[in-house]
Amino acid sequence: MDAWVLWLIAAGILLVLEMVTLTFYLLWLCVGTVVAAAVSWFAPEAYLAQVVAGCLVALVLTVFTKPISRKFRAAKGYEDTGIELVGREGIVVEPIEQGQYGIVKVGGDTWSATSTQTLGRDERVRVLRRSSTIIEVERWEEFI
């Protein structure tokens, strides 16, 4: 099997993993492997050039996209909807066992949620905290 095919297989695996994690770091590695595949297509015997080209592209993208994403978030009009979640009411869609994950609907969005309590389906909850993709909730009645 040609090296460029192996590079493209690696790129496909990295792309799928990126879709699962949503971190953008694996996306840059994926782009690097695509560049390595292109180098492999034009220079099949230059293995070191393939690796160096892929690594350089992944490194440059990783280093330079952090300030760009920070600038985008600070731009006027950008709102992180998760910030305003704290204190809002939600409904448990999938039950939450103590220390386990469940699903809570807040507004029109569903979130993975955890709680220090056991919460059943259709219980009203209030959002206490939000991490990147998981919210911590507590039974609504305790706040009234």
mmCIF file of all heavy atoms in Angstrom, residues 73-102:
data_model
loop_
_atom_site.group_PDB
_atom_site.id
_atom_site.type_symbol
_atom_site.label_atom_id
_atom_site.label_comp_id
_atom_site.label_asym_id
_atom_site.label_seq_id
_atom_site.Cartn_x
_atom_site.Cartn_y
_atom_site.Cartn_z
ATOM 1 N N ARG A 73 -13.724 35.372 19.998
ATOM 2 C CA ARG A 73 -14.621 35.335 21.154
ATOM 3 C C ARG A 73 -14.782 36.710 21.785
ATOM 4 O O ARG A 73 -15.811 37.013 22.367
ATOM 5 C CB ARG A 73 -14.099 34.348 22.184
ATOM 6 C CG ARG A 73 -14.305 32.932 21.750
ATOM 7 C CD ARG A 73 -14.019 31.961 22.869
ATOM 8 N NE ARG A 73 -14.286 30.621 22.407
ATOM 9 C CZ ARG A 73 -13.401 29.657 22.362
ATOM 10 N NH1 ARG A 73 -12.173 29.881 22.755
ATOM 11 N NH2 ARG A 73 -13.727 28.473 21.930
ATOM 12 N N ALA A 74 -13.743 37.527 21.724
ATOM 13 C CA ALA A 74 -13.805 38.861 22.314
ATOM 14 C C ALA A 74 -14.489 39.864 21.390
ATOM 15 O O ALA A 74 -14.804 40.978 21.809
ATOM 16 C CB ALA A 74 -12.402 39.354 22.650
ATOM 17 N N ALA A 75 -14.732 39.483 20.142
ATOM 18 C CA ALA A 75 -15.326 40.399 19.175
ATOM 19 C C ALA A 75 -16.754 40.756 19.572
ATOM 20 O O ALA A 75 -17.470 39.977 20.193
ATOM 21 C CB ALA A 75 -15.323 39.768 17.783
ATOM 22 N N LYS A 76 -17.157 41.946 19.197
ATOM 23 C CA LYS A 76 -18.505 42.425 19.505
ATOM 24 C C LYS A 76 -19.531 41.524 18.814
ATOM 25 O O LYS A 76 -19.391 41.182 17.660
ATOM 26 C CB LYS A 76 -18.655 43.862 19.008
ATOM 27 C CG LYS A 76 -19.956 44.483 19.371
ATOM 28 C CD LYS A 76 -20.016 45.918 18.916
ATOM 29 C CE LYS A 76 -21.348 46.523 19.300
ATOM 30 N NZ LYS A 76 -21.448 47.904 18.863
ATOM 31 N N GLY A 77 -20.541 41.160 19.549
ATOM 32 C CA GLY A 77 -21.608 40.356 18.983
ATOM 33 C C GLY A 77 -21.494 38.874 19.283
ATOM 34 O O GLY A 77 -22.444 38.135 19.138
ATOM 35 N N TYR A 78 -20.330 38.421 19.717
ATOM 36 C CA TYR A 78 -20.174 37.004 20.058
ATOM 37 C C TYR A 78 -20.668 36.778 21.467
ATOM 38 O O TYR A 78 -20.273 37.464 22.384
ATOM 39 C CB TYR A 78 -18.711 36.571 19.949
ATOM 40 C CG TYR A 78 -18.496 35.139 20.376
ATOM 41 C CD1 TYR A 78 -18.772 34.099 19.512
ATOM 42 C CD2 TYR A 78 -18.066 34.834 21.655
ATOM 43 C CE1 TYR A 78 -18.595 32.778 19.904
ATOM 44 C CE2 TYR A 78 -17.884 33.520 22.052
ATOM 45 C CZ TYR A 78 -18.156 32.507 21.171
ATOM 46 O OH TYR A 78 -17.988 31.203 21.564
ATOM 47 N N GLU A 79 -21.556 35.811 21.617
ATOM 48 C CA GLU A 79 -22.060 35.473 22.941
ATOM 49 C C GLU A 79 -21.930 33.977 23.164
ATOM 50 O O GLU A 79 -22.312 33.188 22.326
ATOM 51 C CB GLU A 79 -23.533 35.865 23.073
ATOM 52 C CG GLU A 79 -23.762 37.352 23.131
ATOM 53 C CD GLU A 79 -25.240 37.687 23.318
ATOM 54 O OE1 GLU A 79 -25.975 36.838 23.848
ATOM 55 O OE2 GLU A 79 -25.627 38.777 22.922
ATOM 56 N N ASP A 80 -21.395 33.606 24.294
ATOM 57 C CA ASP A 80 -21.339 32.208 24.686
ATOM 58 C C ASP A 80 -22.631 31.909 25.433
ATOM 59 O O ASP A 80 -22.836 32.390 26.542
ATOM 60 C CB ASP A 80 -20.121 31.963 25.569
ATOM 61 C CG ASP A 80 -19.953 30.502 25.929
ATOM 62 O OD1 ASP A 80 -20.759 29.678 25.461
ATOM 63 O OD2 ASP A 80 -19.010 30.198 26.672
ATOM 64 N N THR A 81 -23.496 31.135 24.827
ATOM 65 C CA THR A 81 -24.806 30.879 25.429
ATOM 66 C C THR A 81 -24.696 30.144 26.755
ATOM 67 O O THR A 81 -25.593 30.199 27.567
ATOM 68 C CB THR A 81 -25.697 30.061 24.477
ATOM 69 O OG1 THR A 81 -25.029 28.835 24.174
ATOM 70 C CG2 THR A 81 -25.976 30.818 23.214
ATOM 71 N N GLY A 82 -23.597 29.467 26.981
ATOM 72 C CA GLY A 82 -23.439 28.719 28.223
ATOM 73 C C GLY A 82 -23.276 29.590 29.445
ATOM 74 O O GLY A 82 -23.598 29.177 30.553
ATOM 75 N N ILE A 83 -22.776 30.805 29.298
ATOM 76 C CA ILE A 83 -22.565 31.688 30.440
ATOM 77 C C ILE A 83 -23.891 32.041 31.098
ATOM 78 O O ILE A 83 -23.997 32.095 32.313
ATOM 79 C CB ILE A 83 -21.810 32.963 30.004
ATOM 80 C CG1 ILE A 83 -20.390 32.587 29.579
ATOM 81 C CG2 ILE A 83 -21.775 33.992 31.115
ATOM 82 C CD1 ILE A 83 -19.622 33.718 28.971
ATOM 83 N N GLU A 84 -24.888 32.256 30.314
ATOM 84 C CA GLU A 84 -26.178 32.651 30.876
ATOM 85 C C GLU A 84 -27.021 31.467 31.356
ATOM 86 O O GLU A 84 -28.153 31.648 31.766
ATOM 87 C CB GLU A 84 -26.957 33.475 29.854
ATOM 88 C CG GLU A 84 -27.175 32.759 28.545
ATOM 89 C CD GLU A 84 -27.591 33.691 27.433
ATOM 90 O OE1 GLU A 84 -27.070 34.798 27.356
ATOM 91 O OE2 GLU A 84 -28.459 33.271 26.644
ATOM 92 N N LEU A 85 -26.471 30.274 31.347
ATOM 93 C CA LEU A 85 -27.206 29.094 31.815
ATOM 94 C C LEU A 85 -27.330 29.047 33.329
ATOM 95 O O LEU A 85 -28.331 28.563 33.848
ATOM 96 C CB LEU A 85 -26.492 27.819 31.360
ATOM 97 C CG LEU A 85 -26.714 27.384 29.932
ATOM 98 C CD1 LEU A 85 -25.864 26.173 29.632
ATOM 99 C CD2 LEU A 85 -28.159 27.074 29.663
ATOM 100 N N VAL A 86 -26.318 29.506 34.037
ATOM 101 C CA VAL A 86 -26.305 29.398 35.491
ATOM 102 C C VAL A 86 -27.508 30.126 36.073
ATOM 103 O O VAL A 86 -27.778 31.284 35.754
ATOM 104 C CB VAL A 86 -24.986 29.961 36.067
ATOM 105 C CG1 VAL A 86 -25.015 29.940 37.579
ATOM 106 C CG2 VAL A 86 -23.807 29.166 35.539
ATOM 107 N N GLY A 87 -28.263 29.403 36.909
ATOM 108 C CA GLY A 87 -29.452 29.971 37.534
ATOM 109 C C GLY A 87 -30.742 29.699 36.774
ATOM 110 O O GLY A 87 -31.826 29.902 37.308
ATOM 111 N N ARG A 88 -30.644 29.226 35.539
ATOM 112 C CA ARG A 88 -31.857 28.963 34.755
ATOM 113 C C ARG A 88 -32.503 27.638 35.128
ATOM 114 O O ARG A 88 -31.871 26.735 35.661
ATOM 115 C CB ARG A 88 -31.528 28.969 33.264
ATOM 116 C CG ARG A 88 -31.205 30.375 32.784
ATOM 117 C CD ARG A 88 -31.070 30.490 31.309
ATOM 118 N NE ARG A 88 -32.286 30.062 30.620
ATOM 119 C CZ ARG A 88 -32.319 29.822 29.321
ATOM 120 N NH1 ARG A 88 -31.239 29.953 28.589
ATOM 121 N NH2 ARG A 88 -33.439 29.438 28.746
ATOM 122 N N GLU A 89 -33.770 27.547 34.812
ATOM 123 C CA GLU A 89 -34.542 26.340 35.091
ATOM 124 C C GLU A 89 -34.445 25.385 33.910
ATOM 125 O O GLU A 89 -34.373 25.806 32.755
ATOM 126 C CB GLU A 89 -36.007 26.718 35.317
ATOM 127 C CG GLU A 89 -36.906 25.540 35.543
ATOM 128 C CD GLU A 89 -38.375 25.932 35.638
ATOM 129 O OE1 GLU A 89 -38.679 27.131 35.680
ATOM 130 O OE2 GLU A 89 -39.215 25.021 35.669
ATOM 131 N N GLY A 90 -34.446 24.097 34.214
ATOM 132 C CA GLY A 90 -34.433 23.082 33.180
ATOM 133 C C GLY A 90 -35.289 21.899 33.577
ATOM 134 O O GLY A 90 -35.787 21.822 34.700
ATOM 135 N N ILE A 91 -35.452 20.973 32.647
ATOM 136 C CA ILE A 91 -36.240 19.759 32.867
ATOM 137 C C ILE A 91 -35.346 18.557 32.574
ATOM 138 O O ILE A 91 -34.655 18.524 31.557
ATOM 139 C CB ILE A 91 -37.475 19.715 31.925
ATOM 140 C CG1 ILE A 91 -38.379 20.909 32.150
ATOM 141 C CG2 ILE A 91 -38.234 18.407 32.070
ATOM 142 C CD1 ILE A 91 -39.103 20.897 33.470
ATOM 143 N N VAL A 92 -35.374 17.572 33.459
ATOM 144 C CA VAL A 92 -34.576 16.360 33.270
ATOM 145 C C VAL A 92 -35.211 15.520 32.162
ATOM 146 O O VAL A 92 -36.380 15.169 32.233
ATOM 147 C CB VAL A 92 -34.490 15.540 34.580
ATOM 148 C CG1 VAL A 92 -33.715 14.257 34.358
ATOM 149 C CG2 VAL A 92 -33.869 16.368 35.687
ATOM 150 N N VAL A 93 -34.441 15.230 31.125
ATOM 151 C CA VAL A 93 -34.916 14.417 30.000
ATOM 152 C C VAL A 93 -34.549 12.953 30.231
ATOM 153 O O VAL A 93 -35.359 12.068 30.010
ATOM 154 C CB VAL A 93 -34.301 14.922 28.670
ATOM 155 C CG1 VAL A 93 -34.698 14.037 27.511
ATOM 156 C CG2 VAL A 93 -34.710 16.366 28.419
ATOM 157 N N GLU A 94 -33.306 12.705 30.646
ATOM 158 C CA GLU A 94 -32.873 11.360 31.025
ATOM 159 C C GLU A 94 -32.453 11.419 32.481
ATOM 160 O O GLU A 94 -31.701 12.313 32.874
ATOM 161 C CB GLU A 94 -31.705 10.888 30.162
ATOM 162 C CG GLU A 94 -32.127 10.512 28.756
ATOM 163 C CD GLU A 94 -30.991 9.897 27.969
ATOM 164 O OE1 GLU A 94 -29.992 9.455 28.587
ATOM 165 O OE2 GLU A 94 -31.090 9.867 26.745
ATOM 166 N N PRO A 95 -32.929 10.486 33.309
ATOM 167 C CA PRO A 95 -32.653 10.521 34.748
ATOM 168 C C PRO A 95 -31.162 10.627 35.067
ATOM 169 O O PRO A 95 -30.313 10.135 34.333
ATOM 170 C CB PRO A 95 -33.207 9.191 35.253
ATOM 171 C CG PRO A 95 -34.163 8.742 34.214
ATOM 172 C CD PRO A 95 -33.685 9.300 32.918
ATOM 173 N N ILE A 96 -30.876 11.283 36.183
ATOM 174 C CA ILE A 96 -29.507 11.467 36.640
ATOM 175 C C ILE A 96 -29.344 10.730 37.962
ATOM 176 O O ILE A 96 -30.012 11.041 38.940
ATOM 177 C CB ILE A 96 -29.190 12.963 36.839
ATOM 178 C CG1 ILE A 96 -29.454 13.753 35.559
ATOM 179 C CG2 ILE A 96 -27.759 13.148 37.317
ATOM 180 C CD1 ILE A 96 -29.376 15.262 35.739
ATOM 181 N N GLU A 97 -28.459 9.760 37.958
ATOM 182 C CA GLU A 97 -28.099 9.076 39.197
ATOM 183 C C GLU A 97 -27.005 9.899 39.866
ATOM 184 O O GLU A 97 -26.220 10.566 39.192
ATOM 185 C CB GLU A 97 -27.587 7.667 38.908
ATOM 186 C CG GLU A 97 -28.629 6.744 38.299
ATOM 187 C CD GLU A 97 -29.768 6.427 39.248
ATOM 188 O OE1 GLU A 97 -29.520 6.318 40.467
ATOM 189 O OE2 GLU A 97 -30.905 6.297 38.768
ATOM 190 N N GLN A 98 -26.937 9.839 41.179
ATOM 191 C CA GLN A 98 -25.945 10.604 41.919
ATOM 192 C C GLN A 98 -24.540 10.287 41.408
ATOM 193 O O GLN A 98 -24.121 9.140 41.382
ATOM 194 C CB GLN A 98 -26.049 10.286 43.408
ATOM 195 C CG GLN A 98 -25.186 11.160 44.269
ATOM 196 C CD GLN A 98 -25.442 10.916 45.746
ATOM 197 O OE1 GLN A 98 -26.221 10.047 46.107
ATOM 198 N NE2 GLN A 98 -24.790 11.673 46.585
ATOM 199 N N GLY A 99 -23.821 11.323 40.960
ATOM 200 C CA GLY A 99 -22.467 11.158 40.447
ATOM 201 C C GLY A 99 -22.390 10.641 39.021
ATOM 202 O O GLY A 99 -21.312 10.464 38.489
ATOM 203 N N GLN A 100 -23.519 10.404 38.376
ATOM 204 C CA GLN A 100 -23.556 9.923 36.996
ATOM 205 C C GLN A 100 -24.081 11.028 36.086
ATOM 206 O O GLN A 100 -24.537 12.065 36.547
ATOM 207 C CB GLN A 100 -24.452 8.685 36.883
ATOM 208 C CG GLN A 100 -24.004 7.520 37.715
ATOM 209 C CD GLN A 100 -22.692 6.944 37.236
ATOM 210 O OE1 GLN A 100 -22.462 6.794 36.057
ATOM 211 N NE2 GLN A 100 -21.808 6.642 38.178
ATOM 212 N N TYR A 101 -24.065 10.777 34.785
ATOM 213 C CA TYR A 101 -24.545 11.761 33.821
ATOM 214 C C TYR A 101 -25.953 11.435 33.366
ATOM 215 O O TYR A 101 -26.341 10.285 33.260
ATOM 216 C CB TYR A 101 -23.632 11.816 32.597
ATOM 217 C CG TYR A 101 -22.249 12.310 32.914
ATOM 218 C CD1 TYR A 101 -21.170 11.445 32.919
ATOM 219 C CD2 TYR A 101 -22.031 13.642 33.227
ATOM 220 C CE1 TYR A 101 -19.903 11.891 33.224
ATOM 221 C CE2 TYR A 101 -20.770 14.104 33.535
ATOM 222 C CZ TYR A 101 -19.707 13.222 33.529
ATOM 223 O OH TYR A 101 -18.450 13.672 33.831
ATOM 224 N N GLY A 102 -26.700 12.476 33.086
ATOM 225 C CA GLY A 102 -28.021 12.372 32.497
ATOM 226 C C GLY A 102 -28.150 13.502 31.490
ATOM 227 O O GLY A 102 -27.171 14.156 31.159
#
